[in-house]
Amino acid sequence: MDYDPETDRGATMRMTKLAEEAEGPGKRVGYWKRSLRKPATRMEIEEERGMLGDDEPNYKGRAGWRSLFTFTTKRHHVTLFFAAAFSVLSGIVTPTVSIVLGNIFDDFTRFGAHQLSRHELVSRITTSCLALVGIASLSWFLNSAFYLLWMVFGELQAKTVRDKLFEGLLNRDIEWYDKRKDGIGALIPRCQTQIRELQSAISQPFGFVVQCMVSTLVALGVAFYFSWNLTLVILAAVPFAAILLAFISSKMQPSIDAQKDYLSEASGTVNGAISSIETVKAYNGQQFEVWLFSSAIGEAAKSYLIQAHSNALQISLVVLVTLSMFVQGFWYGSTLLGPDGMTAGHIMTTFWACMTATQSFEQILPHMIVIEKGKAAGAALKAIIFRMERGRKIIDMRGNQVPKNCAGDIDVRNVSFAYPTRPSQWALNQASFFFPAGETTFVVGRSGSGKSTLGNLLLRYYEPNSGEILIDGHPIQTLDLNWVRNVITLVQQQCVLFNETISRNIALGCRDHEGIGVEEVKKACQFSLLQETINDMPNGLNTPVGIGGNAMSGGQRQRIAIARARLRDTAVLILDESTSALDQVTRSLVMSAIREWRQGKTTIVITHDVSQVLENDFLYVVDSGRVVQEGYRKALVSDSDGLFCSFVKAGSHPSDSRQIPSRTELSSPVTVQRSHSDDSIGPHTREFEISQDSLDNRLLESSRDTSSVFASPSLGFQGPRELPGLPRGMESIELTGRMTATNRYHPEKFERRGPSNITSNTYTAGSPFNTTPLKTAGWKEKPYFTRKAPSKKRVVTLKKIFATLWPALPWTGRLNLILGFLFAVAHASATPIFGFCFAKLLSAFYLQSARRSQEAEKWSLAVLTIAIADATASYFMHYLLEACGQSWVDSLRLKALTRILSQPRAWFDDPKNAFSLLAESLDRNAEEMRNLIGRFAGFVFVAATMVTIGITWSVAICWKLTIVGLAATPFLYGITRGFEYISGKWEGRSNDQAEIACAIFAETFENVRTVRALTLEGYFRGKYARATREAFRVGVRRAAYSGVFFGLTDSGIQFVTALIFYYGALLAASGQFHVSDTLTAFSLLIFSMSNANVVITFIPQISSSRDTAARLLRLAFLPLTSHEQYGHKRTPLTSALTFHNVSFSYPSRPSYPVLRNFNLTIQPGTCTAIVGASGSGKSTLAALLLRLYDPTSGKITIDDEENTPLTQIHTPTLRSQIAIVSQTPALFPTSIFANIAYGLPEGTYTASDIHHAAQLAGIHHFISTLPSSYHTQLSSPSPLSGGQAQCVAIARALARKPKMLVMDEATSCLDAESAAVVREAVRRVAEAGVAVILVTHERAMMRVAGRICLVSKGQIMEEGGWEELVGKKGEFWRLVEGRG
């Protein structure tokens, strides 16, 4: 009976609604006037768009040095202070070497001028060499400490930003997530890349910058001390060069920002393609996804080459200034030398000091691109966190009231709400509901009518634009947010499971999930008919569910979520299409059990399936965000003009008369009575007769579930099972206190039960279950996804990595590579030649005054020529090798994505192939891998070349001295290789731990709605904190071990230098070699070793790049052994398709066959319904047709002249002729038009084709009402309702004009009217000659088919038409009638 609007609050509601409509959308009334947001304006939407693309425009160009320390806290100051202190001290050590070297050269010059005796030369050189040994020892300690502390500081920064980002995202409201342009899945890998870039910049590279700057300043101080005028002449060109360097650097920031934006776009493409891999494969979208990815990284490459050009210019400019300053320096220095002027030693000290200063400054430049990226990353991360801090947080939504109990009264008054992504469209418009405590109420309506929005508002994912929501009379915004979510459980159609075990996923529903007992978990599984499925799994309750629950089928996921809700047992339960993946019998049994459980508890069932609504159930009918009908079913169904009646007519058939079985353990036929009474409705009794045998048979089937063709194989056993135990107590159920339609809007008239009567649905804050903790319950549960870094891992050598370079480059890239190394040879040759000229300049100092100026001028001009040639070679070397590196990694990226998309479906279930890790490999790992050729290969090659040239030349001039220098090579090689090994080993371990933390980060925020709904913020916060702590611990150990070897490798050159000078003094004193030859050999060896020593500073970064390269190469060289790669015939699908004795077992459980000697023929132009209990093997047929799997035995053939096996058909050709619609549609973050046209070759369709497909799917009218119509962009998550998304997926399938259409539970999300439109489309398609296969549980869909095949235990048990099979009253009749 409908309520009287003249006698209740409804009239007031309508007047308020009319007033708001007069004011227009967005006007706020009622209690929410001051506290709630209005619909967002377009400007606000644009401001709040994608976090990576559009969230940081105000910060571009502001990435200063402070950006590197954005996340430095007071606790980091001690580490930072000592790191800086040791950098300063190690920076001071280097210039002091120039003083000692100046004294050594002064002694040799005086000896050459016959001013020192042989004994005095050896004595003085010995003293200077001992000083060098002391400086080297001190340098070892200081460099080790400085490296260790900077690496630790970088780990602290990374941990801090990880924690802040995690906490910031955890405190963001759902609205913020909805507004991410490319979805949270694209944001996560970019954030991880930026964290890595910031950490890399603030660790070793920044420490080197500090060290080199100190060395530069101290060296300049030494130079000015010995000769201020000579120093000024030498450095005359430095100010001009500094201005040019600053100008070039300013041009790099925009390109860094642009590159970051394009890489974000590429990450979004990868994330979308891999997360929707089944749809991509089914629609042959692999090449399209690769093309999108290629376009994005191509634009990113252009931006990076601008950076490479700028960096190469900076390096070449410094080289030019560094070498050319000796032209005027030596000329002017020669004029200062004399009795009344400076000594040769002082001039040489000044020269060495200036050279040390310029070389130290030059060493900064290779690290500057890392620093610039770190600054940009720090600014970007700061912008993200700033946005999060500025916007509305969860804490802003929290009230402070925590009632002791919750009765469950929910009053929704005049609520209007628009989703932030669709601010101009009301999801709810002046809607009012009242859900009385202890009652079950249904909400039905069309797809997209606003039903699910109700659950989102009650869980406070969003806040209404206007109106108010009351829980037990308390405004919902005044209640503690955690309290609200702890008294309300929402079970949605797309159930989210975490990467844990089944037991852990169920236990997480309980507030005291750490203390929940095994028996409680088992009872919850028994309640949701999971117990037999779990018993057949290898590890039982400890079976991991996989990433996102992908090891479970759709029905298993739904039943695990229902079990979780049962264990949670809150005062209010909201079921939003939560049984849509179950077959009719299982659905009926589960719903019957839920009705029994929820007696006396508030339950809201949101559904489009009106068959679930019993005659005495109260329901609301929602249409276009408004409540258009309300009342009991038996009253509404009599209103032939009402919307509900149209739903009933659209979803029913005159002969449909089902009975709902109870969940009662019976030994004989029984009668279950339900009595409903209230003031206006007399007693009403319904009887169900259920025999023991029929119930046994049905329960054997019901413990299985629907497995979508796009789901991973169910882990359940398909064979016979024992009868599961069922709860008792349904023999007599009496529901009291049912409210009339009138007093539903007058809660004060409703006489509630007292607390003593409703203890079962009362929530007491903080009260845990009194159960035995899992850890003492007789089992051991292994927390899933806590994989440890492997103790031993096969290391990919640099040789193998570089072996992929030449094949990956196009001919232009190969030409660049050859030219790049030719210029590297020229650049390397410049140093020994410069050393030779430098030695000649030194020799000029002990010549007579007349000849001195002439010789100085000659060799100074030679140095100028070398400087110009070296600067030119340096520029082309760096730029060309960077271009090769970019081309190399882009080629491998494309190859990797192509190989990834070619892998079989089971490959994606491996945790090491998680979506977030694959996206990171194609983003950050590729960026670091490029450095191997772009930055490091050139330096290593140059060092090796100059050492070879220098040693060869030195041998020709002074072979004995050279041999002594070479004798130290094993020592230098040993410590360098040790450093490389230790650095590489711990770099790999550190990356492994970072990946674990990243996976937890991704799991948390990709499933943030479920995390919020179950109040699991604390659980994931602790899980992530443990992962970041472990990553930090490994990082500190890496710093400690690597620091010792770094200090030794850096100071080892100085030990060798001391040895060379000492032995050179002996050779000069003995007269075996002339002093000029000895000085030339000194210069060649020292310059060669000092430049080679620069390579050592890159070893940690080389090790990091090598590890990340190995991860990318694993993907780029994945084997192409998938069954999808076989088959070459391009046969049209115009003949019948036949299954011949097909047997099949999923690869993950080969001993459990899903199909057994299955035989079926599908003729063109026919419509075949594949029906059966959940888990019977129906959806497996669709998987085999699309060749997602191949049969274990038997074959599938096309009945053409050759009876061609399906395995011989070219897989893309086959899939282009088959269209599939899965139960869970995957839509991409692009326009609706592009989603419908997805997979269609360019030029094979028109806009009218797309519109026609949408019309057939019943979605055209809705799309046309959108502001942007077919150009409406779909974000992630999709702004469409589940039913609307399913209609778009159906339109996508119809747009292909396939030869075969497979619909796997394709109407599970649709209301009766929309489903009727789809059924009509199916009829029309079949009449057009298309073979249609309907995998369904829906009776109405079965009626569409000309032939129905009942599948049970992997075989066809019955087949025929509807009337024929129903008339037999066999297995099919028992299935559709729910009789077992």
Side-chain angles (χ1 to χ4, degrees):
M1 177 178 175
D2 292 334
Y3 70 93
D4 183 2
E6 299 300 323
T7 60
D8 65 13
R9 194 160 53 91
T12 304
M13 290 182 176
R14 288 199 180 93
M15 294 183 66
T16 305
K17 187 186 303 183
L18 291 173
E20 181 173 351
E21 289 176 348
E23 293 179 349
K27 301 298 182 181
R28 296 169 291 174
V29 297
Y31 190 91
W32 306 94
K33 186 173 182 179
R34 290 182 298 274
S35 60
L36 296 184
R37 63 170 179 82
K38 61 183 179 180
T41 64
R42 184 174 184 84
M43 182 178 297
E44 291 170 336
I45 295 174
E46 291 298 323
E47 181 183 4
E48 285 285 348
R49 285 186 67 193
M51 182 53 60
L52 290 178
D54 303 327
D55 214 28
E56 300 134 16
N58 294 333
Y59 294 88
K60 292 179 180 178
R62 298 187 182 182
W65 290 96
R66 293 182 61 183
S67 301
L68 295 173
F69 301 95
T70 298
F71 304 99
T72 303
T73 66
K74 291 183 178 179
R75 290 186 297 178
H76 303 165
H77 286 174
V78 174
T79 304
L80 178 60
F81 171 78
F82 281 104
F86 279 105
S87 293
V88 170
L89 292 175
S90 62
I92 293 174
V93 168
T94 303
T96 59
V97 175
S98 64
I99 299 177
V100 178
L101 291 179
N103 292 332
I104 290 175
F105 275 95
D106 184 50
D107 292 334
F108 274 103
T109 302
R110 293 174 63 190
F111 178 75
H114 306 291
Q115 297 177 6
L116 289 178
S117 66
R118 297 178 179 180
H119 175 72
E120 289 176 328
L121 173 66
V122 173
S123 176
R124 294 172 70 91
I125 295 299
T126 300
T127 302
S128 297
C129 288
L130 290 176
L132 282 178
V133 171
I135 293 173
S137 301
L138 180 62
S139 176
W140 182 3
F141 169 73
L142 293 177
N143 282 318
S144 297
F146 121 80
Y147 182 92
L148 165 67
L149 290 170
W150 278 113
M151 293 295 287
V152 171
F153 180 70
E155 293 290 342
L156 287 170
Q157 292 291 91
K159 185 177 186 303
T160 299
V161 69
R162 286 186 182 122
D163 293 344
K164 278 194 172 185
L165 197 60
F166 186 89
E167 199 64 33
L169 289 174
L170 206 59
N171 287 330
R172 292 301 303 179
D173 58 4
I174 298 297
E175 177 181 327
W176 184 88
Y177 290 90
D178 288 350
K179 289 181 177 180
R180 297 314 96 208
K181 182 175 61 177
D182 297 320
I184 191 66
L187 173 66
I188 291 170
R190 283 307 299 153
C191 284
Q192 299 303 321
T193 299
Q194 289 166 347
I195 291 173
R196 177 70 176 188
E197 289 175 348
L198 176 63
Q199 179 184 1
S200 298
I202 202 63
S203 300
Q204 176 201 11
F206 189 81
F208 279 129
V209 170
V210 174
Q211 181 192 48
C212 292
M213 287 300 298
V214 171
S215 297
T216 299
L217 295 176
V218 173
L220 289 177
V222 172
F224 275 104
Y225 173 78
F226 282 93
S227 178
W228 63 268
N229 49 353
L230 179 59
T231 303
L232 290 177
V233 171
I234 293 174
L235 302 179
V238 170
F240 174 73
I243 294 174
L244 282 179
L245 289 174
F247 175 77
I248 296 172
S249 181
S250 66
K251 299 299 181 181
M252 291 178 64
Q253 189 63 44
S255 62
I256 292 175
D257 294 330
Q259 183 199 18
K260 179 185 62 180
D261 291 342
Y262 288 121
L263 288 177
S264 299
E265 183 180 338
S267 294
T269 299
V270 171
N271 185 74
I274 298 177
S275 61
S276 305
I277 185 63
E278 303 91 352
T279 302
V280 172
K281 284 179 175 289
Y283 285 86
N284 287 331
Q286 297 97 319
Q287 290 185 358
F288 178 70
E289 297 296 335
V290 171
W291 176 80
L292 285 177
F293 182 70
S294 175
S295 299
I297 63 173
E299 295 298 324
K302 293 178 183 178
S303 298
Y304 182 78
L305 290 180
I306 295 174
Q307 303 169 42
H309 169 70
S310 300
N311 193 54
L313 274 179
Q314 288 180 319
I315 293 175
S316 62
L317 181 63
V318 171
V319 169
L320 178 63
V321 172
T322 301
L323 298 183
S324 62
M325 69 181 186
F326 288 97
V327 175
Q328 70 270 20
F330 271 106
W331 172 79
Y332 184 67
S334 64
T335 63
L336 297 178
L337 189 63
D340 299 329
M342 297 178 60
T343 64
H346 285 180
I347 293 177
M348 284 307 307
T349 300
T350 305
F351 272 119
W352 277 113
C354 289
M355 180 177 291
T356 300
T358 54
Q359 285 184 337
S360 296
F361 187 76
E362 185 179 359
Q363 290 177 17
I364 294 175
L365 295 182
H367 300 288
M368 284 308 299
I369 193 166
V370 179
I371 298 292
E372 290 296 331
K373 281 184 169 292
K375 287 158 63 176
L381 291 168
K382 177 183 177 181
I384 293 173
I385 294 177
F386 176 81
R387 292 282 185 181
M388 290 189 293
E389 292 175 348
R390 190 186 68 171
R392 188 175 65 199
K393 307 178 192 177
I394 293 298
I395 193 171
D396 300 330
M397 301 169 61
R398 288 177 178 160
N400 52 18
Q401 292 189 36
V402 183
K404 292 184 178 180
N405 300 317
C406 177
D409 264 339
I410 297 178
D411 193 1
V412 180
R413 300 177 180 175
N414 296 328
V415 165
S416 293
F417 172 73
Y419 282 100
T421 53
R422 294 174 290 168
S424 61
Q425 291 181 291
W426 292 119
L428 288 179
N429 190 0
Q430 291 289 301
S432 295
F433 306 85
F434 181 69
F435 305 102
E439 298 292 331
T440 296
T441 309
F442 286 78
V443 180
V444 300
R446 294 189 177 97
S447 300
S449 59
K451 306 185 301 295
S452 298
T453 300
L454 186 61
N456 292 333
L457 293 178
L458 290 178
L459 277 179
R460 296 199 67 196
Y461 287 156
Y462 308 94
E463 300 201 12
N465 299 97
S466 64
E468 60 181 335
I469 301 175
L470 306 176
I471 298 181
D472 291 344
H474 302 285
I476 193 171
Q477 85 283 355
T478 67
L479 297 171
D480 179 75
L481 185 59
N482 283 335
W483 183 89
V484 170
R485 291 175 178 169
N486 276 316
V487 300
I488 300 176
T489 297
L490 173 63
V491 182
Q492 295 178 302
Q493 179 180 11
Q494 306 303 330
C495 302
V496 171
L497 301 182
F498 301 108
N499 196 10
E500 305 276 3
T501 61
I502 294 175
S503 62
R504 174 64 64 182
N505 269 283
I506 295 174
L508 286 175
C510 181
R511 290 177 291 278
D512 183 27
H513 52 80
E514 292 295 340
I516 194 65
V518 61
E519 291 304 319
E520 278 69 24
V521 174
K522 287 183 176 180
K523 287 179 181 178
C525 293
Q526 183 181 12
F527 172 85
S528 61
L529 296 178
L530 268 173
Q531 67 280 5
E532 291 302 319
T533 300
I534 292 174
N535 290 341
D536 290 330
M537 293 180 179
N539 298 316
L541 285 169
N542 284 331
T543 301
V545 303
I547 300 169
N550 57 22
M552 304 286 113
S553 67
Q556 287 173 334
R557 288 196 293 268
Q558 283 192 341
R559 284 188 282 164
I560 289 174
I562 291 171
R564 185 164 60 193
R566 179 64 184 90
L567 189 63
R568 192 170 175 82
D569 196 22
T570 52
V572 179
L573 174 66
I574 306 173
L575 301 175
D576 188 358
E577 304 285 5
S578 56
T579 59
S580 61
L582 306 180
D583 63 83
Q584 291 179 4
V585 176
T586 307
R587 185 186 307 170
S588 299
L589 290 170
V590 170
M591 284 303 300
S592 180
I594 289 174
R595 285 179 179 271
E596 177 190 4
W597 161 41
R598 298 302 297 177
Q599 290 182 68
K601 301 179 182 181
T602 305
T603 307
I604 304 171
V605 182
I606 300 171
T607 182
H608 63 263
D609 183 7
V610 296
S611 65
Q612 295 184 19
V613 187
L614 303 182
E615 286 191 357
N616 288 330
D617 286 332
F618 196 92
L619 69 143
Y620 291 93
V621 182
V622 182
D623 189 43
S624 300
R626 297 175 180 269
V627 177
V628 296
Q629 282 184 291
E630 57 184 288
Y632 294 92
R633 170 174 176 143
K634 64 181 182 181
L636 296 184
V637 78
S638 62
D639 183 4
S640 59
D641 296 328
L643 184 60
F644 180 75
C645 188
S646 69
F647 291 160
V648 175
K649 292 177 181 178
S652 64
H653 188 272
S655 64
D656 287 354
S657 58
R658 283 181 292 174
Q659 293 180 336
I660 301 177
S662 69
R663 286 273 302 256
T664 313
E665 208 173 66
L666 303 170
S667 58
S668 61
V670 299
T671 298
V672 181
Q673 295 186 345
R674 295 191 178 189
S675 177
H676 305 272
S677 62
D678 53 39
D679 295 340
S680 59
I681 301 178
H684 180 78
T685 303
R686 298 189 65 173
E687 298 184 357
F688 307 98
E689 278 199 5
I690 308 174
S691 68
Q692 176 65 50
D693 292 340
S694 65
L695 185 60
D696 285 357
N697 293 333
R698 297 318 302 272
L699 290 177
L700 288 176
E701 295 293 335
S702 66
S703 62
R704 307 165 196 156
D705 55 283
T706 302
S707 61
S708 168
V709 65
F710 284 167
S712 294
S714 165
L715 294 176
F717 177 58
Q718 304 298 329
R721 296 185 174 90
E722 298 179 0
L723 175 67
L726 296 176
R728 300 178 181 270
M730 289 187 63
E731 291 78 9
S732 179
I733 303 172
E734 182 178 0
L735 302 180
T736 61
R738 169 60 73 180
M739 302 172 61
T740 65
T742 299
N743 65 26
R744 287 177 73 87
Y745 270 103
H746 290 275
E748 65 278 3
K749 295 182 180 180
F750 179 62
E751 189 175 6
R752 293 193 183 94
R753 304 183 183 95
S756 61
N757 294 328
I758 58 170
T759 54
S760 62
N761 78 326
T762 300
Y763 164 67
T764 303
S767 60
F769 284 90
N770 293 322
T771 58
T772 305
L774 287 173
K775 60 185 179 181
T776 61
W779 64 341
K780 294 182 180 180
E781 180 191 14
K782 297 180 181 180
Y784 200 59
F785 212 98
T786 55
R787 64 181 177 92
K788 296 181 180 179
S791 57
K792 291 184 179 180
K793 183 165 54 176
R794 184 180 178 184
V795 178
V796 179
T797 63
L798 289 173
K799 180 180 178 181
K800 291 183 178 180
I801 293 174
F802 284 122
T804 67
L805 176 59
W806 185 263
L809 294 177
W811 72 268
T812 53
R814 294 176 180 180
L815 179 61
N816 287 340
L817 181 66
I818 294 172
L819 292 176
F821 278 104
L822 288 177
F823 281 111
V825 171
H827 177 55
S829 303
T831 298
I833 296 173
F834 173 79
F836 174 78
C837 296
F838 185 74
K840 292 299 181 180
L841 282 171
L842 294 180
S843 301
F845 283 153
Y846 58 82
L847 297 176
Q848 296 298 322
S849 178
R851 292 185 56 199
R852 185 189 307 144
S853 299
Q854 183 180 358
E855 287 293 312
E857 182 179 351
K858 180 178 71 172
W859 292 111
S860 294
L861 291 176
V863 167
L864 178 61
T865 303
I866 295 170
I868 296 174
D870 193 17
T872 304
S874 177
Y875 167 78
F876 284 106
M877 180 194 77
H878 285 94
Y879 179 75
L880 292 175
L881 291 182
E882 286 281 16
C884 288
Q886 186 65 52
S887 179
W888 178 39
V889 298
D890 284 351
S891 175
L892 291 175
R893 275 170 163 161
L894 294 177
K895 186 176 180 180
L897 183 58
T898 303
R899 293 290 179 105
I900 288 170
L901 298 181
S902 299
Q903 296 305 299
R905 177 60 185 86
W907 183 84
F908 295 89
D909 297 332
D910 192 328
K912 70 180 180 181
N913 300 324
F915 300 157
S916 59
L917 301 184
L918 295 177
E920 184 180 13
S921 290
L922 295 174
D923 187 352
R924 177 180 74 84
N925 292 353
E927 289 295 292
E928 291 197 19
M929 180 181 179
R930 180 190 55 228
N931 294 332
L932 286 176
I933 186 67
R935 293 178 56 208
F936 308 135
F939 281 112
V940 173
F941 181 78
V942 166
T945 302
M946 68 174 56
V947 167
T948 302
I949 295 174
I951 290 175
T952 303
W953 202 337
S954 180
V955 167
I957 296 174
C958 187
W959 64 271
K960 285 189 176 182
L961 182 62
T962 306
I963 289 176
V964 171
L966 291 177
T969 301
F971 165 72
L972 295 176
Y973 178 79
I975 60 176
T976 302
R977 291 290 294 174
F979 181 32
E980 181 185 0
Y981 170 77
I982 293 295
S983 180
K985 173 184 175 181
W986 283 98
E987 187 68 35
R989 293 185 178 183
S990 182
N991 285 338
D992 287 337
Q993 293 299 331
E995 283 187 353
I996 293 174
C998 176
I1000 298 172
F1001 187 96
E1003 181 183 35
T1004 303
F1005 297 109
E1006 287 175 354
N1007 304 314
V1008 67
R1009 288 173 179 263
T1010 304
V1011 171
R1012 297 273 172 80
L1014 298 175
T1015 60
L1016 293 176
E1017 293 92 340
Y1019 172 78
F1020 280 97
R1021 182 185 288 113
K1023 187 177 180 180
Y1024 186 69
R1026 289 190 294 273
T1028 55
R1029 281 198 300 270
E1030 180 63 18
F1032 175 75
R1033 186 185 69 83
V1034 172
V1036 171
R1037 294 182 66 185
R1038 176 187 63 163
Y1041 290 122
S1042 300
V1044 174
F1045 278 89
F1046 171 77
L1048 181 59
T1049 53
D1050 190 66
S1051 59
I1053 297 294
Q1054 297 177 17
F1055 287 111
V1056 176
T1057 301
L1059 174 63
I1060 291 174
F1061 276 120
Y1062 174 74
Y1063 187 70
L1066 295 179
L1067 291 177
S1070 64
Q1072 298 182 45
F1073 292 93
H1074 195 271
V1075 174
S1076 62
D1077 294 335
T1078 306
L1079 289 177
T1080 301
F1082 282 154
S1083 299
L1084 291 171
L1085 292 174
I1086 291 174
F1087 275 111
S1088 298
M1089 287 191 299
S1090 63
N1091 281 277
N1093 191 44
V1094 174
V1095 175
I1096 294 175
T1097 64
F1098 291 113
I1099 287 180
Q1101 297 176 58
I1102 293 174
S1103 299
S1104 176
S1105 297
R1106 185 182 66 180
D1107 184 75
T1108 54
R1111 296 167 194 263
L1112 178 60
L1113 290 177
R1114 178 184 77 88
L1115 301 177
F1117 291 93
L1118 287 169
L1120 292 176
T1121 56
S1122 170
H1123 64 276
E1124 300 177 14
Q1125 306 301 319
Y1126 302 105
H1128 59 279
K1129 293 186 177 181
R1130 301 177 185 270
T1131 305
L1133 200 62
T1134 55
S1135 305
L1137 194 147
T1138 303
F1139 289 76
H1140 300 278
N1141 296 319
V1142 169
S1143 296
F1144 174 73
S1145 300
Y1146 283 104
S1148 59
R1149 44 193 175 99
S1151 60
Y1152 299 124
V1154 179
L1155 297 179
R1156 299 177 178 86
N1157 297 319
F1158 185 87
N1159 292 281
L1160 174 67
T1161 298
I1162 301 169
Q1163 296 289 346
T1166 62
C1167 183
T1168 304
I1170 309 296
V1171 304
S1174 300
S1176 58
K1178 305 184 304 297
S1179 295
T1180 302
L1181 299 178
L1184 294 176
L1185 287 173
L1186 282 167
R1187 293 204 65 203
L1188 295 179
Y1189 303 94
D1190 275 346
T1192 307
S1193 64
K1195 61 181 179 179
I1196 307 172
T1197 63
I1198 297 176
D1199 296 342
D1200 53 9
E1201 295 179 356
E1202 301 177 359
N1203 281 336
T1204 306
L1206 215 61
T1207 54
Q1208 295 182 13
I1209 305 297
H1210 183 236
T1211 303
T1213 300
L1214 175 69
R1215 290 173 178 170
S1216 68
Q1217 301 177 78
I1218 301 176
I1220 184 166
V1221 183
S1222 67
Q1223 182 177 356
T1224 307
L1227 300 182
F1228 299 93
T1230 182
S1231 67
I1232 294 178
F1233 186 96
N1235 267 283
I1236 297 176
Y1238 186 79
L1240 294 175
E1242 193 70 28
T1244 61
Y1245 62 91
T1246 63
S1248 61
D1249 294 330
I1250 303 303
H1251 296 170
H1252 179 65
Q1255 288 173 342
L1256 288 176
I1259 194 68
H1260 173 74
H1261 175 71
F1262 167 75
I1263 297 174
S1264 300
T1265 61
L1266 297 174
S1268 300
S1269 188
Y1270 281 85
H1271 299 292
T1272 301
Q1273 295 292 314
L1274 301 183
S1275 59
S1276 179
S1278 172
L1280 304 180
S1281 69
Q1284 291 165 346
Q1286 206 160 45
C1287 285
V1288 172
I1290 293 171
R1292 176 168 59 197
L1294 297 176
R1296 291 173 73 84
K1297 300 177 182 178
K1299 299 292 192 305
M1300 179 178 289
L1301 175 64
V1302 182
M1303 303 188 72
D1304 188 6
E1305 298 291 354
T1307 59
S1308 60
C1309 294
L1310 301 183
D1311 58 82
E1313 292 182 342
S1314 299
V1317 174
V1318 173
R1319 290 195 295 271
E1320 178 58 30
V1322 170
R1323 290 190 185 97
R1324 294 175 61 181
V1325 168
E1327 291 171 357
V1330 176
V1332 179
I1333 301 176
L1334 303 175
V1335 178
T1336 182
H1337 294 306
E1338 301 295 330
R1339 293 154 57 94
M1341 286 297 286
M1342 296 177 194
R1343 287 180 168 278
V1344 176
R1347 180 175 60 153
I1348 300 173
C1349 298
L1350 173 65
V1351 180
S1352 178
K1353 299 179 181 178
Q1355 295 179 324
I1356 294 180
M1357 305 300 292
E1358 289 184 353
E1359 63 177 306
W1362 172 274
E1363 300 296 339
E1364 177 188 353
L1365 294 179
V1366 170
K1368 287 182 179 180
K1369 293 194 174 181
E1371 290 296 326
F1372 177 78
W1373 176 76
R1374 284 190 287 270
L1375 175 71
V1376 297
E1377 294 297 325
R1379 293 180 179 271

